[in-house]
Amino acid sequence: MSFDKVNQVLVVNWEGELSSDEIRKGYDILMEEVRIHKPKKLLLDFHKRGTIRRSDQRWVFSTVFPNILRTIGETVFVAIVLPVTLYCGLVGEMNGDELMDENNFLIIHHALYREEAYRWLNTMHLSSTNFE
């Protein structure tokens, strides 16, 4: 995990097979970095990570992402780099409420390559995200 000061992006690399406990501990560390840096842009690189259980995916969307939104207090952009095998169907069980907090949103973009994710994040202009 690192904070790219130039682009104001919190970059998170996940690799290998992970247990539910390791996933939760990893996201605890991520939340600490979110509290320190208050990033409005995150790049989650999962292209070298193994698959995770559906219950862990649901936990991330129902617990971690809402906590990020509340901590930042503004719209947050998240680029997720996925291996081709996981690209489809990641968020099929979400209802969308997890990605909203008052007038702030967590906007997700899925990418196959880190460069694509960075390009997307760098085109997001935070001043133009008022969705009222």
Side-chain angles (χ1 to χ4, degrees):
M1 194 170 317
S2 63
F3 185 66
D4 175 348
K5 290 180 185 180
V6 173
N7 294 298
Q8 295 293 297
V9 176
L10 180 61
V11 180
V12 181
N13 295 303
W14 290 84
E15 294 185 14
E17 296 296 323
L18 302 167
S19 69
S20 293
D21 190 48
E22 290 170 319
I23 289 168
R24 290 170 195 261
K25 286 178 183 176
Y27 277 108
D28 286 344
I29 295 168
L30 180 142
M31 284 307 303
E32 186 59 34
E33 293 295 313
V34 165
R35 283 188 277 282
I36 292 168
H37 297 290
K38 304 277 193 223
K40 295 172 190 78
K41 298 178 183 180
L42 288 88
L43 191 155
L44 305 177
D45 191 340
F46 298 154
H47 85 276
K48 291 183 181 178
R49 186 190 75 185
T51 59
I52 66 171
R53 295 172 31 201
R54 273 284 206 228
S55 59
D56 292 327
Q57 287 178 1
R58 281 192 298 275
W59 176 80
V60 170
F61 281 98
S62 66
T63 304
V64 176
F65 286 167
N67 285 343
I68 290 171
L69 265 176
R70 281 190 297 274
T71 300
I72 301 298
E74 295 182 42
T75 294
V76 177
F77 299 96
V78 180
I80 302 174
V81 181
L82 294 170
V84 175
T85 56
L86 297 180
Y87 194 74
C88 297
L90 177 67
V91 295
E93 296 178 19
M94 289 178 28
N95 65 20
D97 291 342
E98 304 92 340
L99 306 180
M100 296 183 288
D101 182 55
E102 297 180 7
N103 287 329
N104 300 312
F105 301 88
L106 192 125
I107 299 170
I108 299 174
H109 173 77
H110 294 102
L112 294 174
Y113 304 99
R114 181 180 282 228
E115 296 79 9
E116 175 190 357
Y118 254 112
R119 248 190 330 272
W120 179 78
L121 286 170
N122 286 330
T123 63
M124 296 298 101
H125 302 286
L126 299 176
S127 62
S128 63
T129 60
N130 188 348
F131 296 106
E132 292 182 62

